[in-house]
Amino acid sequence: MSIKINKYDNLNGHDLCEIILENKHGVRISLLNYGATLEKFEIPTKHGHENILMSLKKPEDYSKERNFIGATVGRVAGRIKDARWENGNQTVHFIANNHQHTLHSGGKLGLDNQVWDFELKNRNDKVEVSFYFLDPDLANHFPGNVKIKVTYSLDNDNALKYEIEAVSDQLTLFNPTNHTYFRLDGPDSSIEDLNLELDADYYLPVDDQTLPAEAGMAKVKGTVFDFRKSRRIGDALKSDEHQVKVRNGFDHPFILNGNKIAATLTSNKNKRKLEISTNAQALVVFTANGFPKTDVLSHLHAHDGIALEAQAAPTNDPKLQMASLVPGEKFHRIVKWKISY
Amino acid sequence: MSIKINKYDNLNGHDLCEIILENKHGVRISLLNYGATLEKFEIPTKHGHENILMSLKKPEDYSKERNFIGATVGRVAGRIKDARWENGNQTVHFIANNHQHTLHSGGKLGLDNQVWDFELKNRNDKVEVSFYFLDPDLANHFPGNVKIKVTYSLDNDNALKYEIEAVSDQLTLFNPTNHTYFRLDGPDSSIEDLNLELDADYYLPVDDQTLPAEAGMAKVKGTVFDFRKSRRIGDALKSDEHQVKVRNGFDHPFILNGNKIAATLTSNKNKRKLEISTNAQALVVFTANGFPKTDVLSHLHAHDGIALEAQAAPTNDPKLQMASLVPGEKFHRIVKWKISY
Amino acid sequence: MSIKINKYDNLNGHDLCEIILENKHGVRISLLNYGATLEKFEIPTKHGHENILMSLKKPEDYSKERNFIGATVGRVAGRIKDARWENGNQTVHFIANNHQHTLHSGGKLGLDNQVWDFELKNRNDKVEVSFYFLDPDLANHFPGNVKIKVTYSLDNDNALKYEIEAVSDQLTLFNPTNHTYFRLDGPDSSIEDLNLELDADYYLPVDDQTLPAEAGMAKVKGTVFDFRKSRRIGDALKSDEHQVKVRNGFDHPFILNGNKIAATLTSNKNKRKLEISTNAQALVVFTANGFPKTDVLSHLHAHDGIALEAQAAPTNDPKLQMASLVPGEKFHRIVKWKISY
Amino acid sequence: MSIKINKYDNLNGHDLCEIILENKHGVRISLLNYGATLEKFEIPTKHGHENILMSLKKPEDYSKERNFIGATVGRVAGRIKDARWENGNQTVHFIANNHQHTLHSGGKLGLDNQVWDFELKNRNDKVEVSFYFLDPDLANHFPGNVKIKVTYSLDNDNALKYEIEAVSDQLTLFNPTNHTYFRLDGPDSSIEDLNLELDADYYLPVDDQTLPAEAGMAKVKGTVFDFRKSRRIGDALKSDEHQVKVRNGFDHPFILNGNKIAATLTSNKNKRKLEISTNAQALVVFTANGFPKTDVLSHLHAHDGIALEAQAAPTNDPKLQMASLVPGEKFHRIVKWKISY
């Protein structure tokens, strides 16, 4: 097992580093301290290492514009309806940046596009990077100083564990996620030929602004959202279902049933399987439904990757209680990605 | 073991769900995210599953009116005398809703009649639901934002574990309970033919307003409150004892002696035994002494169920110190209900 | 093993209880919720149980006047010089009740003379009582609401464990102790014929007001304070040493060397040995140098008992840093008394 | 194993003590409660004990002037650029005592030159001293009351473990270190003939004021800072590299790769090896590049010792996030020095 640092730039006095974890099987993880980002997940093949993520072309591209690819997103991932949080007699207003709503915490700066500090550990059974960030009181109008630690650890069972720990000195909202897109068949492949299995009997239908619809969660049974048995993603993407059609794919929260494996991606082309487990309530499934044509994204097309974002489900309830973090509470979210090949 | 979600309604934008845990013996637990409520506790019989709780007819009934049946009750279960808390030089006044006293925290909203978020876990040795609620600062005049987690977990020893964890960002009061009524012989049965054994040498006599009497705790020995040896509840209910007579049954706190089993209910008709253990100081025994004749309660009669509420005993002392929760303290109450049949 | 409650009184609406723990050897511990007090420590003898503490005649006597016997004393046990605490730019003034100093926290109410709530546990390997107290912000001028839990647990190795846990919501001072006097040869015996061994190379000489002398700690070697080898207490009490003479005995802090056994009391008359271990920095040794002639103390004489008070040593330093308790810190002091007979 | 206290002075009412830990092999550690200082690290030789640290001549010398030798340094070790911390909308100004910067927290008093309280533990597998300090709110302008515990523990594997634990009641900065200089060949030896191995691919070049240079971290490969393979320190010190030349040696942070052993010092003259492990992000390597000619330092010369200071690396970023400490966070830094001889 090894850890290597590759400094690739210095941005306004901050070192930008790629950190590379490798286990005894040659599984190789590349991480960026920019955004505590999972940049690449490479597995050994006959023809050398192959990256099974949808990634930008080079580390430098991640700070050129804001795309959230592979990043730690927060304080609150996804949408906060009407940019508003109501707690008892208090109302907090955030920055509306997606219609009248707040997307990915609003504002120009989030956990995803700032530089984190980091610390390395090479232990007998795993190699590990911890990233540290202090999000100050009133950042994007969120109350409280929040100290955040994100740890990526790779073991010799080919599992990459992602942990977010946080404490706040005031009541605040905290519901971050990791926004990695998987692309199991490697570069230039599409997710259409992958199979997805999801341990979810219910999903959240969304309205035209991708907020949970008023009627709340719905059964997947008998709908295109039914991935309880492994199904080809390409087939699902062709659905006539309005929600899928208008957005050219999925961008939906699924409520997890709680079994050990929350989701499985399998390749029909290669003998590859990715198993996802988490202690989060839900997975938001996003099928990368299209990209603006910017320089750094020029090589990417719709359905090049699939994001399975572990978090508390978004809600219409302005109380947002499941996203709350109280002083004295230890936030601890875990996601584990285990690859077989 | 399995967990299933059954969404039965959406109330003002909140999904109302019944969550069903089942273990390998077919013991089946139904929970509601409305009030973090224990709705049904079903055991397999020759004639199919039988519910050993006093329950409402259907999940929808729980939100029609406020009855506390099976619910998580708090912040403070039971009565706060004179609706007043004195801590040092500070006095906090609550809402008087029971004579001049505060019952079940006062106010129109409590932990029991609001919608909790939830999260499922299906593990090798247990199936588990965690419910989350953020009770805001000054809710029913109680200081402090309190983040509450209630977990129900069912194992293959036929034990259902109930845990309440909480942290507050200010000094406050917190003494919740679970308000489940057991009805061991199933639907249409009465508790009169059940036997009760209580590990309590002392109880709290109560006055006409069901507050602890001024003279404080008293020995059960030689009184109708003596359940140290298993006794038929029906016999006790027939007592001439004034406190029992005027309220048509029991509504009394018992101070636990601390043995592993706090209380045992046994059926004389069926070979059923329910053992209750807890880390709480006391059990409040309430024999469901009568119900208003409302639609949702129309099928219920006095003595259809018995509630054994694990909590710190109510008190006449306005300092209420055992119910206090200080920032930095981790509240953790445990109740375990183990059924044999 | 067993636990029994014996309610003996009700004081201004508070139940006063004696709680009796007994292990399988017949060792019997009596505790009072008044002051979280260790009332009696009884061992079985040929002639029945014998109490090896210096106790009052009956539980009721403990609340008649304030004597600290067996009680939990605090927030700060012992003397605070000039009734003053200086922390940075802040100075807190306490109540001077011993010359210009504060003894046992000053004021009319302390941890020792108020009623604690309690909770019992009878486990396989131990019997246990936990006492709870909330000391409010500004009690005796001490800042912060402090929630205190004192636990006594008796095991079958004849060890009684005493634990004090506390959290505060503001910076405050907290250095409590248990003020039990041992009297190993039982009622009517003196400590003069007992042997004391102390794992302490240093003690704190005290001035005429029993505050640590300016010159600070001194070696016990070559002085009457040398108990590194077991010595008869009566011999030490006869010393011509000024500090011992003027106060008719010892009232001195000893700095512990840190070995597992901090102190050992042995009887020359009976085959009895009491071993004391603690995680505290020091033991204050007080030889009960005289009692006022009040009704409840009428049966007691100088040198009837010896108190070995585990705590941080008193100091002349107005910063009192070792007695400080910061929000987020968990105070946890342990004392273990193991009897062999 | 043994612990001994040697009180050598009393300073303004505070006892100054040397505490001596010894293991079964005769390895002997001397500590001072002045500054929670590691004074001596002695190993047994044919000619008696030999001290492998650069120490002052006697304990009394440590309080005569401020040299940081062996001390616990903080709240923030090293330099804070422009004496300024920016967190969100808040800016805190510290005391500039090194050009316009803050060195070792600024001010006349730090963790290193005040008297700590202490507590001893002699356990089966280790001997241990814990030092306690309460650094008050606004000490050297740092916000928050910070309670600090420093523990030195010596085991029978000849490893000395150093731990710093801390909690704060406000957001503050905390990045302390231990400032021990090793001198592996004993008194009168130089470090020039020692070999150093550092598990660091990157270091931080520093500017003329010994602040990290603007360009940030750089590869050690091909530079005099490459200690990835064990190298003679004397050879490195002769380098023509500007940074080394102008300061007559090293005073540079190295970013640790995370392997178990962070640094190894070996003697070419004696069969001695010191292995350093830590959970800190970086080691600051300081080769004792010269001493003022004061009385207490008169016996010391440049390159008599080498300090390997475990801490978060200093930074140019005024946010200083890795040095932040939030209420509710438990600071816990560990350094382990293992000697073979």
Side-chain angles (χ1 to χ4, degrees):
Chain A
M1 294 193 137
S2 69
I3 313 184
K4 284 208 179 332
I5 305 174
N6 168 32
K7 172 178 167 181
Y8 60 89
D9 206 352
N10 183 287
L11 185 72
N12 308 326
H14 295 89
D15 289 312
L16 296 186
C17 295
E18 187 184 44
I19 296 132
I20 301 161
L21 311 179
E22 186 163 338
N23 74 5
K24 72 176 185 189
H25 305 298
V27 168
R28 209 154 68 189
I29 305 296
S30 298
L31 306 160
L32 306 181
N33 67 328
Y34 186 83
T37 298
L38 174 52
E39 182 205 5
K40 289 191 278 185
F41 193 132
E42 294 175 292
I43 56 175
T45 73
K46 277 180 286 185
H47 319 291
H49 276 83
E50 198 172 297
N51 179 21
I52 58 165
L53 303 188
M54 193 192 80
S55 306
L56 297 186
K57 281 168 280 183
K58 50 187 191 302
E60 288 83 348
D61 287 354
Y62 284 81
S63 47
K64 285 189 185 148
E65 53 182 51
R66 199 175 184 191
N67 292 304
F68 301 104
I69 297 175
T72 296
V73 177
R75 295 186 188 185
V76 174
R79 286 162 187 82
I80 298 174
K81 194 185 174 180
D82 298 329
R84 197 180 83 232
W85 173 35
E86 285 180 9
N87 180 58
N89 300 322
Q90 308 281 328
T91 302
V92 179
H93 295 280
F94 302 115
I95 299 164
N97 61 342
N98 188 268
H99 306 281
Q100 74 271 39
H101 315 300
T102 299
L103 178 63
H104 293 341
S105 306
K108 293 191 177 146
L109 292 175
L111 305 185
D112 60 293
N113 65 345
Q114 296 185 76
V115 185
W116 297 53
D117 285 324
F118 63 90
E119 204 170 77
L120 313 179
K121 296 277 170 288
N122 188 342
R123 296 297 174 239
N124 290 331
D125 55 342
K126 59 180 176 180
V127 274
E128 178 175 306
V129 188
S130 293
F131 294 105
Y132 295 89
F133 192 77
L134 176 68
D135 203 38
D137 186 27
L138 300 177
N140 294 327
H141 303 191
F142 285 77
N145 294 291
V146 182
K147 182 76 168 280
I148 311 166
K149 179 184 182 184
V150 164
T151 301
Y152 290 90
S153 54
L154 175 68
D155 65 23
N156 281 322
D157 291 330
N158 293 340
L160 177 65
K161 195 175 179 186
Y162 173 83
E163 294 173 88
I164 312 180
E165 294 167 89
V167 289
S168 176
D169 60 2
Q170 284 182 54
L171 173 67
T172 193
L173 291 181
F174 198 66
N175 185 22
T177 197
N178 179 284
H179 208 295
T180 292
Y181 293 87
F182 286 93
R183 186 181 206 174
L184 216 53
D185 285 331
D188 304 319
S189 72
S190 156
I191 59 166
E192 291 176 11
D193 206 34
L194 299 178
N195 265 40
L196 174 65
E197 185 176 342
L198 275 178
D199 179 41
D201 292 344
Y202 285 86
Y203 78 109
L204 286 182
V206 294
D207 65 17
D208 290 351
Q209 300 183 347
T210 316
L211 278 164
E214 266 190 41
M217 56 194 255
K219 285 199 173 171
V220 298
K221 194 179 176 179
T223 76
V224 69
F225 301 97
D226 190 350
F227 290 93
R228 292 175 302 167
K229 285 186 183 162
S230 185
R231 257 170 83 214
R232 198 173 160 275
I233 295 174
D235 296 345
L237 288 170
K238 284 188 211 135
S239 167
D240 278 340
E241 154 70 45
H242 174 75
Q243 296 178 61
V244 175
K245 214 154 185 180
V246 299
R247 53 177 58 76
N248 188 31
F250 294 84
D251 191 2
H252 291 82
F254 287 76
I255 306 300
L256 294 169
N257 292 337
N259 290 294
K260 200 173 165 236
I261 306 299
T264 307
L265 270 182
T266 44
S267 159
N268 292 304
K269 214 169 83 187
N270 296 289
K271 286 182 63 174
R272 292 179 188 165
K273 183 171 64 167
L274 182 83
E275 291 173 312
I276 302 177
S277 48
T278 181
N279 65 352
Q281 181 206 27
L283 284 183
V284 176
V285 175
F286 180 47
T287 49
N289 301 323
F291 293 98
K293 280 299 159 206
T294 65
D295 271 2
V296 305
L297 299 174
S298 61
H299 65 303
L300 297 181
H301 313 86
H303 310 154
D304 272 3
I306 181 168
L308 298 156
E309 309 156 32
Q311 57 172 99
T315 177
N316 282 321
D317 182 358
K319 282 170 54 188
L320 288 160
Q321 67 182 349
M322 207 175 189
S324 65
L325 182 64
V326 175
E329 196 183 346
K330 312 274 180 207
F331 181 91
H332 192 187
R333 180 159 293 158
I334 304 172
V335 190
K336 208 168 169 176
W337 300 291
K338 185 169 160 38
I339 186 74
S340 314
Y341 56 89
Chain B
M1 295 194 136
S2 71
I3 313 185
K4 285 209 180 330
I5 305 174
N6 167 31
K7 172 177 166 181
Y8 60 89
D9 206 352
N10 182 286
L11 183 73
N12 308 326
H14 295 89
D15 289 311
L16 296 186
C17 295
E18 187 184 43
I19 297 133
I20 301 161
L21 312 179
E22 185 163 341
N23 73 8
K24 72 177 186 190
H25 306 297
V27 169
R28 208 154 67 189
I29 304 296
S30 297
L31 306 161
L32 306 180
N33 67 329
Y34 186 83
T37 297
L38 174 52
E39 182 205 6
K40 289 192 277 186
F41 193 132
E42 294 175 291
I43 57 174
T45 73
K46 277 181 286 184
H47 318 292
H49 276 85
E50 198 172 297
N51 179 22
I52 58 166
L53 303 189
M54 192 192 82
S55 307
L56 297 186
K57 281 168 281 184
K58 50 186 190 304
E60 289 82 348
D61 288 353
Y62 285 81
S63 47
K64 286 189 183 146
E65 53 183 52
R66 199 175 185 189
N67 292 304
F68 302 102
I69 297 175
T72 296
V73 177
R75 297 188 187 182
V76 174
R79 285 161 188 83
I80 298 175
K81 193 184 176 182
D82 299 329
R84 198 178 83 232
W85 173 36
E86 286 180 9
N87 181 56
N89 301 322
Q90 308 281 328
T91 301
V92 179
H93 295 280
F94 303 115
I95 299 165
N97 62 342
N98 187 268
H99 307 281
Q100 74 270 39
H101 314 301
T102 299
L103 178 63
H104 292 340
S105 306
K108 293 191 175 147
L109 292 174
L111 304 185
D112 61 293
N113 64 345
Q114 297 185 75
V115 185
W116 297 52
D117 285 323
F118 62 90
E119 202 171 78
L120 312 179
K121 296 277 169 290
N122 189 342
R123 296 299 174 237
N124 290 331
D125 55 341
K126 59 179 177 181
V127 274
E128 179 174 305
V129 188
S130 293
F131 294 105
Y132 295 89
F133 192 77
L134 176 67
D135 203 39
D137 186 28
L138 299 177
N140 294 327
H141 303 191
F142 285 77
N145 294 289
V146 182
K147 181 78 169 280
I148 310 166
K149 179 183 182 183
V150 164
T151 300
Y152 289 91
S153 55
L154 175 68
D155 64 24
N156 280 323
D157 290 331
N158 293 341
L160 177 65
K161 195 175 179 185
Y162 173 83
E163 294 173 89
I164 312 180
E165 294 166 89
V167 288
S168 176
D169 60 0
Q170 282 182 56
L171 174 68
T172 192
L173 291 181
F174 197 66
N175 185 22
T177 198
N178 178 285
H179 207 296
T180 292
Y181 294 87
F182 287 92
R183 187 181 206 176
L184 217 51
D185 285 331
D188 303 320
S189 72
S190 156
I191 59 165
E192 291 177 10
D193 207 32
L194 299 179
N195 266 38
L196 173 65
E197 185 177 343
L198 276 178
D199 179 41
D201 291 345
Y202 285 86
Y203 78 109
L204 287 182
V206 294
D207 65 18
D208 290 352
Q209 301 182 346
T210 316
L211 278 165
E214 267 190 43
M217 55 193 255
K219 286 198 171 172
V220 298
K221 194 180 177 179
T223 77
V224 70
F225 301 96
D226 190 351
F227 290 94
R228 292 175 302 168
K229 286 184 182 164
S230 185
R231 261 169 81 212
R232 201 175 158 273
I233 295 174
D235 296 346
L237 288 170
K238 284 187 210 135
S239 167
D240 279 340
E241 155 69 45
H242 175 75
Q243 297 177 60
V244 175
K245 213 154 186 179
V246 298
R247 52 177 58 76
N248 188 31
F250 294 84
D251 191 2
H252 291 83
F254 287 76
I255 306 300
L256 293 169
N257 292 337
N259 289 295
K260 200 172 165 237
I261 307 300
T264 307
L265 271 181
T266 45
S267 159
N268 292 304
K269 214 171 83 187
N270 296 288
K271 284 180 67 173
R272 293 179 189 166
K273 182 173 63 166
L274 181 82
E275 291 172 311
I276 301 176
S277 48
T278 180
N279 66 352
Q281 181 206 27
L283 285 183
V284 175
V285 175
F286 179 49
T287 49
N289 301 322
F291 293 97
K293 280 298 159 207
T294 67
D295 272 3
V296 306
L297 300 175
S298 62
H299 65 303
L300 297 181
H301 312 86
H303 309 156
D304 273 3
I306 181 168
L308 298 155
E309 308 154 33
Q311 57 173 100
T315 175
N316 281 322
D317 182 358
K319 281 170 52 187
L320 289 159
Q321 65 181 350
M322 207 174 188
S324 65
L325 182 64
V326 174
E329 197 182 344
K330 312 274 180 208
F331 182 91
H332 191 187
R333 180 158 291 159
I334 304 171
V335 190
K336 209 167 168 176
W337 300 291
K338 187 171 159 40
I339 186 73
S340 315
Y341 56 89
Chain C
M1 294 194 140
S2 69
I3 313 185
K4 284 206 179 334
I5 304 175
N6 167 32
K7 172 177 166 182
Y8 60 88
D9 206 353
N10 182 288
L11 184 73
N12 308 325
H14 295 88
D15 289 312
L16 296 186
C17 294
E18 186 184 44
I19 298 132
I20 300 161
L21 313 179
E22 185 163 341
N23 72 7
K24 72 177 185 188
H25 306 297
V27 168
R28 208 155 67 189
I29 304 297
S30 298
L31 305 160
L32 307 180
N33 66 330
Y34 186 82
T37 297
L38 174 51
E39 183 205 5
K40 288 191 279 186
F41 193 132
E42 293 174 292
I43 56 175
T45 72
K46 278 180 287 187
H47 319 291
H49 276 84
E50 198 172 299
N51 178 21
I52 59 166
L53 302 188
M54 192 191 83
S55 307
L56 297 186
K57 281 168 280 185
K58 51 186 192 302
E60 290 83 348
D61 288 354
Y62 285 80
S63 47
K64 286 188 184 147
E65 53 182 51
R66 198 176 185 188
N67 291 304
F68 303 101
I69 296 174
T72 296
V73 178
R75 299 187 187 184
V76 174
R79 285 161 188 83
I80 298 174
K81 192 184 176 181
D82 298 329
R84 197 180 83 232
W85 173 35
E86 287 180 8
N87 181 57
N89 301 321
Q90 309 281 328
T91 301
V92 179
H93 295 280
F94 302 115
I95 300 164
N97 63 341
N98 186 267
H99 307 281
Q100 75 270 39
H101 315 300
T102 299
L103 179 62
H104 292 340
S105 306
K108 291 189 176 148
L109 292 173
L111 305 185
D112 60 293
N113 65 343
Q114 297 186 74
V115 185
W116 296 53
D117 284 323
F118 62 91
E119 204 170 76
L120 312 179
K121 297 277 168 290
N122 189 341
R123 297 299 174 236
N124 290 332
D125 56 341
K126 58 181 178 180
V127 275
E128 179 174 306
V129 188
S130 293
F131 294 105
Y132 294 89
F133 192 78
L134 176 67
D135 203 39
D137 186 29
L138 299 178
N140 295 327
H141 304 192
F142 285 77
N145 293 289
V146 183
K147 182 76 168 284
I148 310 166
K149 179 183 183 185
V150 164
T151 302
Y152 289 91
S153 54
L154 175 67
D155 65 24
N156 281 324
D157 290 330
N158 293 340
L160 177 65
K161 195 175 177 184
Y162 173 83
E163 293 173 89
I164 312 180
E165 293 165 272
V167 287
S168 176
D169 60 1
Q170 283 181 53
L171 173 69
T172 193
L173 291 181
F174 198 66
N175 185 22
T177 197
N178 178 285
H179 207 295
T180 292
Y181 294 87
F182 286 91
R183 187 182 204 175
L184 217 52
D185 284 330
D188 304 319
S189 72
S190 156
I191 59 166
E192 291 177 11
D193 206 33
L194 299 178
N195 266 38
L196 174 64
E197 185 177 340
L198 276 178
D199 179 42
D201 291 345
Y202 285 85
Y203 78 109
L204 286 181
V206 294
D207 65 18
D208 290 352
Q209 300 183 349
T210 315
L211 278 165
E214 266 190 43
M217 56 193 256
K219 286 198 170 171
V220 299
K221 192 178 176 180
T223 76
V224 70
F225 300 96
D226 190 350
F227 290 93
R228 292 175 302 168
K229 288 186 181 163
S230 184
R231 261 169 79 213
R232 202 175 158 274
I233 295 174
D235 296 345
L237 288 169
K238 283 188 210 135
S239 167
D240 278 341
E241 155 67 47
H242 175 75
Q243 297 178 58
V244 175
K245 214 153 186 180
V246 297
R247 54 178 55 78
N248 188 31
F250 293 84
D251 191 1
H252 291 82
F254 286 76
I255 306 301
L256 293 169
N257 293 336
N259 289 293
K260 201 174 164 234
I261 307 300
T264 307
L265 270 181
T266 45
S267 159
N268 292 303
K269 216 170 84 187
N270 296 288
K271 282 181 68 173
R272 293 179 187 166
K273 182 172 64 166
L274 181 82
E275 290 172 311
I276 302 176
S277 49
T278 181
N279 66 352
Q281 181 207 26
L283 286 182
V284 175
V285 175
F286 179 49
T287 48
N289 301 322
F291 293 97
K293 280 299 157 206
T294 67
D295 272 4
V296 306
L297 299 174
S298 63
H299 64 303
L300 297 181
H301 312 88
H303 308 155
D304 272 3
I306 181 169
L308 298 155
E309 309 156 31
Q311 58 172 99
T315 176
N316 281 323
D317 181 358
K319 283 170 53 187
L320 289 159
Q321 67 181 348
M322 208 174 186
S324 65
L325 183 63
V326 175
E329 197 183 344
K330 312 275 180 207
F331 182 91
H332 191 188
R333 180 159 290 160
I334 305 170
V335 190
K336 208 166 170 177
W337 300 291
K338 186 170 161 40
I339 186 75
S340 315
Y341 56 90
Chain D
M1 293 194 139
S2 69
I3 312 184
K4 284 207 179 335
I5 304 174
N6 167 32
K7 171 178 167 182
Y8 60 89
D9 204 353
N10 182 286
L11 183 72
N12 308 326
H14 295 90
D15 288 313
L16 296 186
C17 294
E18 186 185 45
I19 298 132
I20 300 161
L21 313 179
E22 186 163 340
N23 74 6
K24 73 177 184 187
H25 306 296
V27 168
R28 209 155 66 190
I29 304 297
S30 298
L31 305 160
L32 307 180
N33 66 331
Y34 186 83
T37 298
L38 174 52
E39 182 205 6
K40 288 191 278 185
F41 193 132
E42 294 174 292
I43 56 174
T45 72
K46 278 180 285 186
H47 319 289
H49 276 83
E50 198 172 299
N51 179 22
I52 58 165
L53 303 187
M54 193 192 80
S55 307
L56 297 185
K57 280 168 279 183
K58 49 187 194 302
E60 289 83 346
D61 287 353
Y62 285 81
S63 47
K64 285 189 184 147
E65 53 184 51
R66 200 176 184 189
N67 291 304
F68 301 102
I69 297 174
T72 296
V73 177
R75 296 187 188 186
V76 174
R79 284 161 189 84
I80 298 176
K81 193 185 175 181
D82 298 329
R84 197 180 84 230
W85 172 36
E86 286 180 8
N87 180 58
N89 300 321
Q90 308 281 328
T91 301
V92 179
H93 295 279
F94 302 115
I95 299 164
N97 63 341
N98 187 267
H99 307 281
Q100 74 269 41
H101 314 301
T102 299
L103 178 63
H104 292 343
S105 306
K108 292 190 177 148
L109 292 174
L111 306 185
D112 60 293
N113 65 344
Q114 296 185 76
V115 184
W116 297 53
D117 284 324
F118 63 90
E119 205 170 77
L120 312 179
K121 296 280 170 288
N122 189 342
R123 296 299 175 238
N124 290 332
D125 56 341
K126 58 180 178 179
V127 274
E128 179 174 305
V129 189
S130 292
F131 294 105
Y132 295 89
F133 192 78
L134 176 67
D135 202 39
D137 187 27
L138 299 179
N140 294 327
H141 305 191
F142 284 76
N145 293 289
V146 182
K147 182 76 167 282
I148 310 166
K149 180 184 182 184
V150 164
T151 301
Y152 290 90
S153 55
L154 175 67
D155 65 25
N156 280 323
D157 292 330
N158 293 340
L160 177 65
K161 195 175 177 185
Y162 173 84
E163 294 173 88
I164 312 180
E165 294 166 272
V167 288
S168 175
D169 60 2
Q170 284 182 53
L171 173 68
T172 194
L173 291 182
F174 197 65
N175 185 21
T177 197
N178 178 283
H179 208 296
T180 292
Y181 295 87
F182 286 92
R183 187 182 206 175
L184 217 53
D185 284 330
D188 303 320
S189 72
S190 158
I191 59 165
E192 292 177 10
D193 206 33
L194 299 178
N195 265 39
L196 174 65
E197 186 177 340
L198 276 178
D199 180 40
D201 291 346
Y202 285 85
Y203 78 109
L204 286 182
V206 293
D207 65 17
D208 290 352
Q209 299 182 348
T210 315
L211 279 164
E214 268 190 40
M217 56 193 256
K219 286 199 171 170
V220 299
K221 194 178 174 179
T223 76
V224 69
F225 300 96
D226 189 350
F227 289 94
R228 293 175 301 168
K229 286 186 181 163
S230 184
R231 259 169 82 214
R232 201 176 159 271
I233 295 174
D235 296 345
L237 288 170
K238 282 187 210 137
S239 167
D240 278 341
E241 153 70 46
H242 175 76
Q243 296 178 59
V244 176
K245 213 151 186 183
V246 298
R247 56 178 53 78
N248 189 31
F250 294 83
D251 191 1
H252 291 83
F254 287 76
I255 306 300
L256 293 169
N257 292 337
N259 289 294
K260 202 174 165 234
I261 307 300
T264 307
L265 270 183
T266 44
S267 159
N268 292 303
K269 214 170 84 188
N270 296 288
K271 285 181 65 173
R272 292 179 187 165
K273 183 171 63 167
L274 181 83
E275 291 172 310
I276 302 175
S277 48
T278 180
N279 66 352
Q281 180 207 28
L283 286 183
V284 175
V285 174
F286 180 46
T287 48
N289 301 323
F291 293 97
K293 281 298 159 206
T294 66
D295 272 3
V296 306
L297 299 175
S298 61
H299 65 303
L300 297 181
H301 313 87
H303 310 154
D304 273 3
I306 181 167
L308 298 156
E309 308 155 32
Q311 57 172 98
T315 176
N316 281 321
D317 183 359
K319 283 170 52 186
L320 289 159
Q321 68 182 347
M322 207 175 189
S324 65
L325 183 63
V326 175
E329 196 183 346
K330 311 274 181 209
F331 181 91
H332 191 187
R333 180 159 291 159
I334 305 171
V335 190
K336 208 167 170 176
W337 300 291
K338 185 168 160 41
I339 186 74
S340 314
Y341 55 89

